[in-house]
Amino acid sequence: MDIDERQIKMTVTGEKAANWFLDLTVAPAAKLPFKKINPSRVDCRFEEMNYSVTTTAGSFSQPGDGKVFRITPSNNTVVLNLTGEVNPSKNKK
């Protein structure tokens, strides 16, 4: 796992194939910032500020059963973009 101010990257490696994902569950009365969950972006609002978290590897879904959302990897990797940019790779120098 690599974390910095711009992104979170998680990769599972090994000799055997892994079928993994991350589910977010919370207490029933929890106040959450999530306004819309799309396959490649979660739109949020916290303390009067709108922002988005996007994926450049992996996807978001809403599996139900008490789970707020699920992050499913692509090729055993999840990359969450925390900058709010839609396509951050085009803006890197």
Side-chain angles (χ1 to χ4, degrees):
M1 181 182 299
D2 293 316
I3 301 173
D4 64 30
E5 67 277 2
R6 299 183 62 79
Q7 74 176 15
I8 298 171
K9 181 177 181 180
M10 296 166 269
T11 302
V12 172
T13 59
E15 293 180 16
K16 295 184 179 184
N19 183 17
W20 64 281
F21 53 84
L22 302 169
D23 280 345
L24 175 64
T25 57
V26 297
K31 185 175 178 184
L32 302 173
F34 313 118
K35 299 302 174 193
K36 187 171 183 183
I37 299 169
N38 299 295
S40 62
R41 184 173 82 199
V42 174
D43 295 324
C44 311
R45 181 170 179 83
F46 182 72
E47 294 186 358
E48 304 300 318
M49 186 175 99
N50 294 321
Y51 63 96
S52 296
V53 176
T54 60
T55 60
T56 55
S59 63
F60 296 104
S61 63
Q62 293 178 280
D65 194 30
K67 295 167 184 72
V68 176
F69 62 74
R70 174 174 288 168
I71 304 172
T72 304
S74 175
N75 296 320
N76 279 327
T77 299
V78 168
V79 178
L80 300 177
N81 170 24
L82 307 175
T83 66
E85 299 171 5
V86 175
N87 192 345
S89 61
K90 288 187 177 181
N91 296 327
K92 288 186 177 178
K93 295 180 180 180

